[in-house]
Amino acid sequence: MIKLGDLIAEDDEWGADRDYYNREYRRVAKILYPEMYPVRKRKPSQQLINTLKPCNCGANGWAWKRYAENKVGFCCKKCNESTGAYSTNAKARDVWNKLIDDKKIKKK
């Protein structure tokens, strides 16, 4: 890490290799200090959205929410039924589908 930093600091001497050293420095820094490079959760894929069950209120869509501490969840656009915050889109989807199934059982 120190050697990469020294190589980057020497401005014109390395020329074309400077980009390579910058990439290597960033790659090592991300491994050693992940808190310096936070990653935001991505929107769910269409494949994951296709596995979501429709809400019991009859709404046609869902809303994807991004919470603090890099967590995500789903909620109904019409009745505000919500999963809460989960670490992955897949966990939020599983909780949503279980929530919908539990509500259907209670209605019958």
Side-chain angles (χ1 to χ4, degrees):
M1 187 81 165
I2 294 171
K3 182 66 174 169
L4 283 171
D6 290 342
L7 290 171
I8 293 169
E10 297 171 6
D11 219 10
D12 293 332
E13 187 176 333
W14 295 99
D17 292 335
R18 183 179 174 91
D19 289 337
Y20 170 74
Y21 292 130
N22 279 331
R23 280 193 305 275
E24 286 300 307
Y25 186 86
R26 191 175 297 115
R27 186 181 66 81
V28 171
K30 283 182 180 183
I31 293 169
L32 295 176
Y33 307 104
E35 65 277 0
M36 289 175 54
Y37 299 92
V39 178
R40 292 183 64 168
K41 294 290 184 183
R42 292 184 175 195
K43 288 185 178 181
S45 66
Q46 189 62 43
Q47 186 177 14
L48 185 125
I49 289 173
N50 289 339
T51 61
L52 285 168
K53 295 182 178 180
C55 186
N56 294 331
C57 71
N60 291 332
W62 311 267
W64 179 74
K65 285 188 174 182
R66 194 178 277 155
Y67 292 94
E69 292 116 23
N70 208 15
K71 298 198 180 222
V72 295
F74 290 101
C75 68
C76 178
K77 288 182 178 180
K78 185 176 177 183
C79 69
N80 292 329
E81 186 72 47
S82 178
T83 62
Y86 290 91
S87 59
T88 65
N89 287 327
K91 285 182 184 177
R93 179 215 37 216
D94 294 342
V95 170
W96 174 262
N97 288 340
K98 185 175 182 337
L99 182 73
I100 297 302
D101 287 342
D102 290 347
K103 297 270 181 175
K104 282 182 182 176
I105 292 171
K106 288 180 183 177
K107 276 188 170 181
K108 290 181 180 180

